[in-house]
Amino acid sequence: MTTYIVATLLFAAGPPCGPLDLDTALGLAASRSDEVAIKQADVVTAQADEAMARALRIVPQATATVLTGPAPEARGDFLKPETIVGTNRSLYGIRPFVRVEIQALQPIYTWGRLDAASEAAQAGLEARELLVQDTTSQVQLRVVQTWWGVALAKRFLAIAGDVRGALAQAAQHVKEAMANGDEDVSPADRYRVDLARGVVEGRAAEAQKGLDLAQVALAAMLGTDPARLALQEAPLDPPAAAVPDRAAALDAAERQRPDLRALGDAIRARDAEVKAERAANKPQFFLGAQFVYSYAPNRDIQLNPWVSDWFNTLSLGALIGFRQDLALPMMSARAQKAQAERDALAQQREGLARLVQVQVDTGLAELRAAQARHVAAQAALGSGKALFRSTGLDFAAGLIDAKSLIDAYTQYVESQVAAAQAAYDLYVARAKLAQVTGEAPRKGVQCELP
C-alpha cells in the first residue's frame, strides 16, 4: 500500500506538460491536490506512531547521565582514623571529578500489551493510507466532471456557431425576398429570425461562462493558472459498454471501497487498543540494568563492601522485576471506553455499508438512465439533422415561411444539445459508479506544468 501511495501521490518532475488529456489531468490532480496532501500528512504522522510502537519493544527506557564538578579531597581509611586527611566539610584540595550513570529497562513480558500497541499502530497506518486513496478517488471524480464539463461547453459553443451561420443565411434570404417583393415573406419573418439569433447569442454567452468556470475549477484542482491550462480536444463520444451486474458491483464495493476498508482497519486498531488496556491491569515484567562509574583523583578508593564513596564508584548490575499499576478502577474505565469506541466504529461501518449499497444502486440506476438517454439522443440527432437540412432547402425554395424554419432550427439545436448533454451524463455516470464501487485511482502520466 505504501508503495502504491508513493507511486500515485508523490509528484515527481517530468517532461513539460503539453495539452493535457484526461489521464494526465487525473494524475496531476492526485499529486497536486491540497486535499490529498493533507491526508498524506496524516499518513506521515501514522508512520511515526507505528515507529514509536515498534520502539517500545527495544529498551523503551534508557538514560545516560554524565556529571562533572569539584570534589573535596579525602585520603585514608576510615578504619584508621589517624590516616584520614581533612574532613567532610573541608574545601581543602579540591579537584575535578567525573561520574557516568547508565540505566536501562527492557520489558520481557507484558501479557501482549506491546504486541497490541504495535498492531493498533499498524492498523491505524493502513487506515490512513486507505483514506488517502479515498480522497484521491473523490478528487479525480471531480476532475472527470469538470473535464467533460469543458468539452460540453465547447460543444455548446460549436452548436451555437453552426446555428449562427444558418440564421445568417436565413436573414439574408428574408432580406433579398423582401427586396424582390416576395409576398410569401413579411417583416414578421425578419423579426422571428432576429429573435432566434438573440436567443442563440444568450445561450452562447451561458455556454462561454460555463467553459470559463470549468477551466478555472480544473486549473485550481491541478494547481496551475487558468491562462496556462491547455487541454486536448475531447469529443463527446462515449464508447459502448454494458452496465455492470448489481451483485458484482456490490461485491466490488464491499471489497474495494477504501472508506469501508479504512473503517475495518480502524476497528482492528480499536480491538488491539482494548487488548492493550486490559493487559495493563496485569503486572508488567521487566529486566533492569545499571552501570555507574565515577572518579575523583584526590580521593582514595574505598574497597570495603559496606562503605561507598559517591565520587569514586564502579558498579554494574541487572535485575528482574515487575510493576503493577494499582489504579485498577481507572484502567478498567479506560478499557471500557476503548470497547465503547470500538463498538461505535462497528456501528458506523454497518451504516456505511448500507449507504454504499444505496450509492451502488443509485449509480447503476443513473448509468442505465444515462445510457438510455444517450441512445435516444443519438437517434433523435439523426432525425434533427435531416429535418434541419430539408427545412433549409424548403425555405430557400420559398416553400415554407420563416416560422417553420425557426421551429426546425430549434428542434435541431435541441437535439444536438440533448445529444451532447446525454454523452456528458454518461461519462459522469460511469465515473461515479467507478468511484462508489471503489476502483483504484488512475495514476496518469507525470509531467511538469508551467
Side-chain angles (χ1 to χ4, degrees), residues 152-163:
L152 180 63
K154 289 181 178 180
R155 180 59 185 146
F156 285 165
L157 290 173
I159 293 172
D162 293 341
V163 176

Side-chain angles (χ1 to χ4, degrees), residues 110-121 123 265-282 284 330-346:
T110 61
W111 307 93
R113 186 180 183 183
L114 295 181
D115 292 337
S118 180
E119 182 180 353
D265 286 333
I267 292 171
R268 185 159 58 91
R270 289 299 184 187
D271 285 336
E273 184 178 344
V274 171
K275 182 179 178 181
E277 293 293 347
R278 290 174 178 171
N281 291 324
K282 301 176 182 179
Q284 309 296 302
M330 176 62 72
M331 291 188 293
S332 177
R334 288 177 179 174
Q336 292 175 3
K337 179 183 177 182
Q339 182 65 47
E341 291 174 344
R342 186 265 178 211
D343 294 340
L345 285 175

Side-chain angles (χ1 to χ4, degrees), residues 39-191:
K39 293 297 182 180
Q40 184 64 32
D42 292 339
V43 171
V44 175
T45 302
Q47 288 173 339
D49 292 339
E50 198 267 341
M52 291 173 61
R54 283 188 282 108
L56 286 174
R57 295 175 174 273
I58 304 174
V59 195
Q61 298 182 29
T63 60
T65 306
V66 179
L67 303 173
T68 186
E73 184 178 24
R75 301 290 187 183
D77 188 338
F78 83 103
L79 295 177
K80 298 177 182 180
E82 66 277 7
T83 65
I84 297 177
V85 178
T87 70
N88 61 353
R89 298 184 179 181
S90 173
L91 298 179
Y92 174 78
I94 290 179
R95 297 283 297 278
F97 81 98
V98 64
R99 180 179 177 88
V100 179
E101 298 181 4
I102 300 176
Q103 297 177 341
L105 186 146
Q106 172 62 49
I108 55 177
Y109 190 72
T110 61
W111 307 93
R113 186 180 183 183
L114 295 181
D115 292 337
S118 180
E119 182 180 353
Q122 180 63 35
L125 173 59
E126 293 175 1
R128 284 173 173 81
E129 289 175 341
L130 287 168
L131 290 178
V132 172
Q133 183 178 343
D134 182 54
T135 302
T136 303
S137 297
Q138 295 177 23
V139 169
Q140 289 191 342
L141 174 59
R142 294 200 296 271
V143 170
V144 170
Q145 293 172 317
T146 309
W147 171 274
W148 290 115
V150 170
L152 180 63
K154 289 181 178 180
R155 180 59 185 146
F156 285 165
L157 290 173
I159 293 172
D162 293 341
V163 176
R164 280 195 195 101
L167 290 178
Q169 293 178 4
Q172 182 63 29
H173 178 78
V174 169
K175 182 179 179 181
E176 293 175 354
M178 291 181 64
N180 294 331
D182 190 342
E183 297 180 356
D184 293 331
V185 178
S186 66
D189 293 328
R190 185 182 65 187
Y191 300 147

Side-chain angles (χ1 to χ4, degrees), residues 238-244 363-379 418-419 421-430 433:
V243 177
L364 288 171
E366 290 179 350
L367 180 56
R368 292 191 192 97
Q371 289 204 162
R373 287 196 302 270
H374 183 253
V375 172
Q378 289 297 319
Q421 185 68 53
Y424 169 81
D425 292 342
L426 182 54
Y427 276 121
V428 172
R430 288 174 178 174
L433 184 61

Side-chain angles (χ1 to χ4, degrees), residues 387-409:
L387 177 63
F388 173 77
R389 292 171 182 171
S390 63
T391 304
L393 294 175
D394 291 344
F395 181 75
L399 300 177
I400 60 174
D401 57 9
K403 182 178 183 303
S404 299
L405 176 67
I406 292 173
D407 289 342
Y409 283 167

